[in-house]
Amino acid sequence: MATENIAFIGLGNMGKPMALNLVKGGKKVTAYDLNAQAVKELEAAGGKGVKSVSEAVAQADVVVTMLPSSPHVQEVYLGGGKLLASAKKGALLIDSSTIAPDVAKQVAKEAQAKGFDMVDAPVSGGVGGAQAGTLTFIVGGSEALFEKAKPILSLMGKNIFHAGANGAGQVAKICNNMLLAIHMIGTSEAINLGLANGMDPKKLSEIISKSSGRNWSVETYNPCPGVMENVPSSRGYEGGFAVELMAKDLGLAIEAALSTKTATPLGGLATSLYRMHAEQGASRLDFSSILRFLKKA
Amino acid sequence: MATENIAFIGLGNMGKPMALNLVKGGKKVTAYDLNAQAVKELEAAGGKGVKSVSEAVAQADVVVTMLPSSPHVQEVYLGGGKLLASAKKGALLIDSSTIAPDVAKQVAKEAQAKGFDMVDAPVSGGVGGAQAGTLTFIVGGSEALFEKAKPILSLMGKNIFHAGANGAGQVAKICNNMLLAIHMIGTSEAINLGLANGMDPKKLSEIISKSSGRNWSVETYNPCPGVMENVPSSRGYEGGFAVELMAKDLGLAIEAALSTKTATPLGGLATSLYRMHAEQGASRLDFSSILRFLKKA
Amino acid sequence: MATENIAFIGLGNMGKPMALNLVKGGKKVTAYDLNAQAVKELEAAGGKGVKSVSEAVAQADVVVTMLPSSPHVQEVYLGGGKLLASAKKGALLIDSSTIAPDVAKQVAKEAQAKGFDMVDAPVSGGVGGAQAGTLTFIVGGSEALFEKAKPILSLMGKNIFHAGANGAGQVAKICNNMLLAIHMIGTSEAINLGLANGMDPKKLSEIISKSSGRNWSVETYNPCPGVMENVPSSRGYEGGFAVELMAKDLGLAIEAALSTKTATPLGGLATSLYRMHAEQGASRLDFSSILRFLKKA
Amino acid sequence: MATENIAFIGLGNMGKPMALNLVKGGKKVTAYDLNAQAVKELEAAGGKGVKSVSEAVAQADVVVTMLPSSPHVQEVYLGGGKLLASAKKGALLIDSSTIAPDVAKQVAKEAQAKGFDMVDAPVSGGVGGAQAGTLTFIVGGSEALFEKAKPILSLMGKNIFHAGANGAGQVAKICNNMLLAIHMIGTSEAINLGLANGMDPKKLSEIISKSSGRNWSVETYNPCPGVMENVPSSRGYEGGFAVELMAKDLGLAIEAALSTKTATPLGGLATSLYRMHAEQGASRLDFSSILRFLKKA
């Protein structure tokens, strides 16, 4: 593949290491972010910083955006950011933000109306995955666009899934994360119940991990301090995936449920529990700290 | 190991195939059940039927009980069944019923006071596992008793776990099943939300199965008809693990939570949802049919 | 007060009887609705029907809108309906639709920017209250506008509350209805639990009505058939406030909760329970039928 | 009515003022409690303290018990307390403890088998009501026994309800308190949602109190500090009905639900929320402090 010019919009905790991996992969990266320090770091690594979204995208073959929420995406693409108004004809637009599926569809529709190729490609894997280039991308868009985006995404991630049409990347992401929240709370309840009834949490986790209760939380990201090394629960729930971000993703899931008249009893309860946990002071802790919210250590 | 005399009490859907596997394993099995037909089947296979618990256990080196609920276990061991009053000195007692941990501890305590060895060894794996001899046993009792019970249990099952002291087998079982109920409902919600937002359930299940939302339900026992072959959802939710039995196990979990002042927000909600689903007519369907309760097909 | 010209937009189940009460109150009412039959009924009573929103509002001193949801209100006021573009200078705009508080604020802001007075004035009391002219209005807007709107609202309702600034009418309405949903389900659970434990539901309802559990549902709108006369539960849950409408109002509450990062554990669960109840076929039944969803009669 | 000899067992926070009111009412009260100080206070007021349950009940025409939980009641009546073995022939036994309906029925049955009249008569109204003699009693037992107990209960309370047969007093009490917990949390959610959306909580509470959301919590025991005087929320949630006691009553409700296969989705969730709130350090605060658990002040 020829070396493309890539514009990267949004050099936050996730975006910056992703952009750096594109530079490392040999791409010519032109980036924009309000944070001058982040731009400087990218420039030090060989990228180029510019003063506006318009400037960043003007010559780009591929545009990658990594923004905090739906309104930011709307603003950058359709509003004051003027991305759609400024991008090069035929550019491939990749939005890796986690946003409402309806907004993803709307932006993609407007992009296509102006002749752009666009996919939604939200990620999972956290800051660690972004740095290591091992993110998972879940892509919404046509099969052809999926294939077109894949080589770029592969520079930043390891698993690249095709979920379906535009918006499907977002849908799959929020379905996955809602389920993750549910089994993380469920795992915490099960371990807590075992503890209260005299069981060793390590032994209990081992048994569940080999039985029908098994899930990603109990097997790889155990919420109980001391059961596993190198997970947030064993370092005071520092690092990892913040309670506030999980609450945000759950909010997207519930909005998608409301707008499609879908019942999500456990998903809705998980949303309230994470919100309460955040309000009680845990918003920056890893989401596995929900165990602590069930019972004070 | 020398051929022991084994008494088997309770030839129900689970107990009968378990007892048959002991016969197949070369044991001399003397069984008791009110159901004459079940006793006859065991006799046809080489076992022996008797008219009372007392008679069954009188000469047995090992006693296995497989009963529906806590009161039945109390009745058989301590009440009219007179098991503890009739068993041979030094016999090993194995209760494979799924019952309240407190009752398991109480019965074990009385058994030990009378000089018996006793373990709780509840199973998972369903009727299919009982027939195939591939059950999972989760054993509560000393390490020594675990080793003593293992050869017998191995004739009926494949995975034999040691959970801890007496009662721990029951605790681990109900913790596992509570978590199973939670991720089954959560998986159903996620797939349902994906469907409502236009996703292919098979594609969504594949992505989740390789992502952080993964769990036993989505990977091996998918609740959405058509996603997997050979699971209850693809045969009208027939067979499998009945809603009523899941509701029973959840009830045991909630009782254990109440008696230890433990919060189980998702576990409690799962209990009510399975109870309501049963009341609406689904008590005999497989528990993955909870997807249907979220949204009429 | 001089006879004003009133424009009425939206002659649905609620809007039509409200408009008729304005006619009865001596007002000159010009109405618009897509439903020709409803317009005809208004004309028969002395009102006037027109072919567009613009035409309806052109000469009106007061405009009342009664529309199904947020998008309809946006469309009529700001979009193709051109209400703000067509209304008479200085007209008082009253939106009695139940919609998202954020949308109510946005529309009011645009109305004020164009020199209109505007209040949100959602109602409770149902079709019966609309016909009898005994609705409750909960008004959002300045004190002065509240006083200005009151004489008009008094022709259609009995209790007129001032909740606060623009949008506060909507906020108070959805807070009230969320709480209503919660104590209706709670009341149903309590009665159901009493029944299952052998109590007479009438006796139980009487005791609760005089004790700390008392609430509007148990005292005036008992969900258990046979406890009270003249409530939906005693006529097969026909009439009253439909499950689907309660689900809609709960959706607005949850959206407002998500957008302000507010936890609503019971409100969220009530939302899912009403949604599931609707999906199982009860969407048009009265919302007190949730008792049936707990346990099949 | 002639002056009866009354035995009073259990001079705790509730029992002591209740016994004092019996003394004030002209009854001859003989009391037993492990707490010597409480006994001394009763003696100072004109009662008599004794060293055992047996001694207390030996000459009593009426026995009143006020004990913390089911096991205490079983111990006093059937176990080491020997109440049934020691009481005077034909005595009327009144148990005012809040306990499991099944235990109430069991004890009543054994009492009746020994020729005693027995009713369950749990109370509401708290320590304040006990002191003022304004408690509510909810009585389970025959109509005749209800009439027989009423004059005694009237010395300690104001509202005396007849709920039904033995155990029905307990059933009605726990149904009421489950509903109370639900609308207290619901009211807290509604006020919290209003606050987050800019509403004045006093104004919102007024509107709800006159609308369909109204209930005992919002009208008389508002959980939001500053809305009402003389309620726990306006004195730091001190005094009132402790979170731990509400959690206990909810536990009784859920046990009764499990044993009768009854779904209580909101009741179950309320149970977990109060348990979590207690675990986070609020067990001795008034139960209206659940508002604080939703959002840190």
Side-chain angles (χ1 to χ4, degrees):
Chain A
M1 189 177 58
T3 300
E4 298 106 341
N5 289 320
I6 300 186
F8 204 106
I9 313 298
L11 300 175
N13 289 334
M14 293 293 294
K16 192 179 63 185
M18 289 166 69
L20 288 171
N21 278 325
L22 289 176
V23 172
K24 245 182 266 176
K27 301 297 171 187
K28 202 177 148 197
V29 178
T30 307
Y32 171 73
D33 195 286
L34 283 172
N35 180 342
Q37 177 57 35
V39 174
K40 213 175 283 181
E41 288 183 49
L42 187 79
E43 289 185 321
K48 182 184 170 192
V50 293
K51 299 290 184 197
S52 70
V53 172
S54 299
E55 206 180 331
V57 304
Q59 304 301 326
D61 306 303
V62 176
V63 176
V64 181
T65 50
M66 190 64 184
L67 299 162
S69 70
S70 300
H72 296 87
V73 171
Q74 290 172 311
E75 173 64 12
V76 163
Y77 278 83
L78 312 176
K82 298 186 185 172
L83 198 157
L84 292 192
S86 322
K88 203 170 103 177
K89 217 157 221 179
L92 169 64
L93 313 181
I94 300 175
D95 181 34
S96 283
S97 319
T98 294
I99 61 170
D102 287 347
V103 174
K105 285 180 204 167
Q106 175 211 0
V107 173
K109 205 176 152 188
E110 302 216 17
Q112 283 151 9
K114 298 209 164 147
F116 297 106
D117 288 334
M118 180 159 189
V119 298
D120 45 297
V123 306
S124 73
V127 173
Q131 291 168 340
T134 58
L135 290 171
T136 293
F137 286 90
I138 312 183
V139 182
S142 71
E143 183 68 35
L145 286 186
F146 171 68
E147 292 301 335
K148 194 172 170 190
K150 211 170 170 181
I152 305 293
L153 300 177
S154 297
L155 297 174
M156 301 179 282
K158 210 172 58 175
N159 297 305
I160 325 285
F161 296 121
H162 185 214
N166 280 109
Q170 301 294 350
V171 173
K173 166 83 187 280
I174 61 181
C175 288
N176 180 77
N177 280 19
M178 182 178 81
L179 186 45
L180 169 59
I182 289 169
H183 67 54
M184 179 54 84
I185 302 174
T187 297
S188 297
E189 291 182 20
I191 291 177
N192 199 27
L193 181 58
L195 274 166
N197 282 275
M199 277 209 73
D200 171 37
K202 198 162 187 168
K203 175 60 76 180
L204 178 59
S205 296
E206 281 170 18
I207 292 173
I208 292 176
S209 292
K210 291 175 190 157
S211 304
S212 52
R214 73 178 167 76
N215 63 75
W216 184 90
S217 295
V218 75
E219 289 177 81
T220 73
Y221 207 90
N222 204 291
C224 184
V227 169
M228 281 178 187
E229 290 177 11
N230 296 323
V231 293
S233 63
S234 290
R235 48 176 192 262
Y237 300 106
E238 296 296 329
F241 182 45
V243 166
E244 188 61 41
L245 291 176
M246 179 51 97
K248 178 209 156 194
D249 286 1
L250 284 165
L252 291 173
I254 300 308
E255 277 172 21
L258 290 174
S259 74
T260 52
K261 300 191 173 183
T262 309
T264 51
L266 297 196
L269 182 49
T271 305
S272 281
L273 293 174
Y274 271 111
R275 175 51 57 208
M276 291 162 76
H277 187 37
E279 292 297 319
Q280 299 295 333
S283 60
R284 302 176 73 98
L285 294 183
D286 179 70
F287 81 114
S288 65
S289 63
I290 196 74
L291 179 68
R292 257 198 204 166
F293 188 51
L294 294 173
K295 193 177 192 97
K296 212 161 210 157
Chain B
M1 188 179 59
T3 301
E4 297 106 339
N5 289 319
I6 300 185
F8 204 105
I9 314 298
L11 300 175
N13 289 334
M14 293 295 292
K16 192 179 64 186
M18 289 167 69
L20 288 170
N21 278 325
L22 291 175
V23 172
K24 248 183 263 176
K27 301 298 171 186
K28 201 178 148 195
V29 178
T30 307
Y32 170 72
D33 195 286
L34 284 173
N35 180 341
Q37 177 57 33
V39 174
K40 214 175 281 180
E41 288 183 49
L42 187 80
E43 289 185 322
K48 183 185 170 191
V50 293
K51 299 290 184 197
S52 71
V53 171
S54 301
E55 205 179 333
V57 303
Q59 304 302 325
D61 307 302
V62 177
V63 176
V64 181
T65 50
M66 190 63 183
L67 300 161
S69 70
S70 299
H72 297 87
V73 171
Q74 289 172 311
E75 174 65 12
V76 163
Y77 278 82
L78 312 175
K82 298 185 184 173
L83 196 157
L84 292 191
S86 321
K88 204 170 103 177
K89 213 152 228 185
L92 169 64
L93 313 181
I94 300 174
D95 180 33
S96 283
S97 319
T98 294
I99 61 171
D102 286 349
V103 174
K105 285 179 203 167
Q106 175 211 2
V107 174
K109 204 176 152 189
E110 302 215 19
Q112 282 151 10
K114 297 207 165 149
F116 297 106
D117 288 335
M118 180 158 189
V119 297
D120 45 296
V123 305
S124 73
V127 173
Q131 290 168 339
T134 58
L135 290 171
T136 293
F137 286 90
I138 312 182
V139 181
S142 70
E143 183 68 36
L145 286 187
F146 171 68
E147 293 302 335
K148 195 172 167 189
K150 210 169 170 180
I152 305 293
L153 300 177
S154 299
L155 297 174
M156 302 179 281
K158 207 173 60 174
N159 296 304
I160 323 285
F161 297 121
H162 185 213
N166 280 110
Q170 301 295 349
V171 173
K173 166 83 187 278
I174 62 181
C175 288
N176 180 77
N177 279 20
M178 183 179 80
L179 186 44
L180 168 60
I182 289 170
H183 66 55
M184 179 55 83
I185 302 175
T187 297
S188 298
E189 292 183 19
I191 291 177
N192 200 26
L193 180 57
L195 273 166
N197 283 274
M199 278 209 69
D200 171 36
K202 198 162 186 168
K203 174 61 73 180
L204 178 59
S205 296
E206 280 170 19
I207 293 173
I208 292 176
S209 292
K210 291 175 190 157
S211 305
S212 53
R214 72 179 167 75
N215 63 74
W216 184 90
S217 295
V218 75
E219 290 177 81
T220 73
Y221 206 89
N222 205 291
C224 185
V227 169
M228 281 178 187
E229 290 178 10
N230 296 321
V231 293
S233 64
S234 291
R235 48 173 191 262
Y237 301 107
E238 295 296 328
F241 183 45
V243 166
E244 188 61 40
L245 292 176
M246 178 52 97
K248 177 209 156 193
D249 286 2
L250 285 165
L252 291 173
I254 299 309
E255 277 172 21
L258 289 173
S259 74
T260 52
K261 299 190 174 184
T262 308
T264 51
L266 298 195
L269 182 49
T271 305
S272 282
L273 294 175
Y274 272 111
R275 175 52 55 210
M276 290 161 76
H277 187 39
E279 291 297 319
Q280 300 296 331
S283 59
R284 302 176 73 99
L285 293 184
D286 179 70
F287 81 115
S288 64
S289 63
I290 195 74
L291 179 68
R292 257 198 207 168
F293 189 50
L294 295 172
K295 194 176 191 96
K296 211 159 211 159
Chain C
M1 190 177 57
T3 300
E4 298 105 339
N5 290 319
I6 300 186
F8 204 106
I9 313 299
L11 300 175
N13 289 334
M14 293 294 294
K16 191 180 63 184
M18 290 167 70
L20 289 171
N21 277 325
L22 291 174
V23 172
K24 247 183 266 176
K27 302 296 173 188
K28 204 178 146 195
V29 177
T30 307
Y32 170 73
D33 196 285
L34 284 172
N35 179 341
Q37 177 57 34
V39 175
K40 212 175 284 181
E41 286 183 50
L42 187 79
E43 289 185 322
K48 184 185 170 192
V50 293
K51 299 290 185 197
S52 70
V53 172
S54 301
E55 204 179 333
V57 303
Q59 304 302 326
D61 306 302
V62 176
V63 176
V64 181
T65 50
M66 190 63 184
L67 300 161
S69 70
S70 300
H72 296 87
V73 171
Q74 289 173 309
E75 172 66 11
V76 163
Y77 278 83
L78 313 175
K82 300 186 183 172
L83 197 158
L84 292 191
S86 322
K88 203 170 103 178
K89 213 154 226 181
L92 169 63
L93 314 181
I94 301 174
D95 180 33
S96 283
S97 319
T98 294
I99 61 170
D102 287 348
V103 174
K105 285 181 204 166
Q106 174 211 2
V107 173
K109 205 177 152 188
E110 302 215 19
Q112 282 151 11
K114 299 209 164 149
F116 298 106
D117 288 335
M118 180 158 188
V119 296
D120 45 297
V123 306
S124 73
V127 172
Q131 291 167 339
T134 59
L135 291 170
T136 293
F137 286 90
I138 312 183
V139 182
S142 71
E143 184 67 35
L145 286 186
F146 171 67
E147 293 301 336
K148 195 171 169 190
K150 211 171 170 180
I152 306 293
L153 300 177
S154 298
L155 297 174
M156 301 179 283
K158 208 172 60 174
N159 297 304
I160 324 285
F161 296 122
H162 185 214
N166 280 110
Q170 301 294 350
V171 174
K173 166 84 188 277
I174 62 182
C175 288
N176 180 77
N177 279 20
M178 181 178 80
L179 186 44
L180 169 60
I182 289 169
H183 66 55
M184 180 55 84
I185 302 174
T187 297
S188 298
E189 291 183 19
I191 291 177
N192 199 25
L193 181 57
L195 273 167
N197 282 274
M199 277 209 73
D200 172 36
K202 197 162 187 170
K203 175 59 76 178
L204 178 59
S205 295
E206 280 170 18
I207 292 173
I208 292 176
S209 292
K210 291 176 189 156
S211 305
S212 53
R214 72 177 167 76
N215 63 74
W216 184 89
S217 295
V218 74
E219 289 177 80
T220 73
Y221 206 91
N222 204 291
C224 184
V227 169
M228 280 178 188
E229 290 177 10
N230 297 320
V231 292
S233 63
S234 291
R235 49 174 190 261
Y237 300 106
E238 297 296 330
F241 182 47
V243 165
E244 188 61 41
L245 292 176
M246 178 51 97
K248 177 211 157 194
D249 286 2
L250 285 165
L252 292 172
I254 299 311
E255 278 172 19
L258 290 174
S259 73
T260 53
K261 299 191 174 185
T262 308
T264 51
L266 298 195
L269 181 49
T271 305
S272 282
L273 293 175
Y274 272 111
R275 174 52 57 209
M276 290 161 77
H277 188 37
E279 291 298 319
Q280 299 296 332
S283 59
R284 302 176 71 99
L285 294 183
D286 179 70
F287 80 115
S288 64
S289 63
I290 196 75
L291 179 68
R292 257 198 206 166
F293 189 51
L294 295 173
K295 194 178 192 95
K296 212 159 210 158
Chain D
M1 190 179 56
T3 301
E4 298 104 342
N5 290 319
I6 300 186
F8 204 106
I9 313 299
L11 300 175
N13 289 334
M14 293 295 292
K16 191 178 66 186
M18 289 166 70
L20 288 170
N21 278 324
L22 289 175
V23 172
K24 246 182 266 174
K27 301 297 172 185
K28 203 178 146 194
V29 177
T30 307
Y32 170 72
D33 195 287
L34 284 172
N35 179 341
Q37 178 56 35
V39 174
K40 213 176 282 179
E41 285 183 52
L42 186 80
E43 290 184 322
K48 184 185 170 190
V50 293
K51 300 291 184 194
S52 70
V53 171
S54 299
E55 207 180 329
V57 303
Q59 304 301 326
D61 306 303
V62 176
V63 177
V64 181
T65 50
M66 190 64 183
L67 300 161
S69 70
S70 300
H72 296 88
V73 171
Q74 289 172 310
E75 172 66 13
V76 163
Y77 278 83
L78 312 176
K82 298 186 186 173
L83 198 158
L84 292 191
S86 320
K88 204 170 102 178
K89 211 150 228 185
L92 170 62
L93 313 181
I94 301 175
D95 180 33
S96 283
S97 319
T98 294
I99 61 171
D102 286 348
V103 174
K105 285 180 204 167
Q106 173 210 5
V107 174
K109 203 175 154 189
E110 302 215 18
Q112 282 151 11
K114 297 206 165 151
F116 297 107
D117 288 334
M118 181 158 189
V119 297
D120 45 297
V123 306
S124 72
V127 173
Q131 291 168 341
T134 59
L135 290 170
T136 293
F137 286 91
I138 312 182
V139 182
S142 70
E143 184 67 35
L145 286 186
F146 171 68
E147 292 302 335
K148 195 172 169 189
K150 209 170 172 180
I152 307 293
L153 300 176
S154 298
L155 297 174
M156 302 179 283
K158 210 173 59 175
N159 296 305
I160 324 286
F161 297 121
H162 185 215
N166 280 109
Q170 301 295 349
V171 173
K173 167 83 187 279
I174 61 181
C175 288
N176 180 77
N177 280 20
M178 181 177 81
L179 187 44
L180 169 59
I182 289 169
H183 66 56
M184 180 55 84
I185 302 174
T187 297
S188 298
E189 292 182 19
I191 291 178
N192 200 26
L193 181 57
L195 273 165
N197 283 275
M199 277 210 71
D200 172 37
K202 198 162 187 168
K203 174 61 74 180
L204 178 59
S205 295
E206 280 170 18
I207 292 173
I208 293 176
S209 292
K210 291 175 189 156
S211 305
S212 53
R214 74 178 167 74
N215 62 75
W216 184 90
S217 295
V218 75
E219 290 177 81
T220 74
Y221 206 90
N222 204 292
C224 184
V227 169
M228 280 179 189
E229 290 178 10
N230 297 321
V231 292
S233 64
S234 291
R235 50 174 190 262
Y237 299 106
E238 296 296 329
F241 183 46
V243 165
E244 188 61 40
L245 292 176
M246 179 51 97
K248 178 211 155 193
D249 286 1
L250 285 165
L252 292 173
I254 300 309
E255 278 173 20
L258 290 173
S259 74
T260 52
K261 300 192 173 183
T262 308
T264 51
L266 298 195
L269 181 49
T271 305
S272 281
L273 293 174
Y274 272 112
R275 175 51 58 209
M276 290 161 77
H277 188 38
E279 292 298 318
Q280 299 294 333
S283 60
R284 302 176 72 99
L285 294 183
D286 179 69
F287 81 115
S288 64
S289 63
I290 195 75
L291 179 68
R292 258 199 205 166
F293 189 51
L294 295 173
K295 193 176 193 97
K296 212 159 210 158

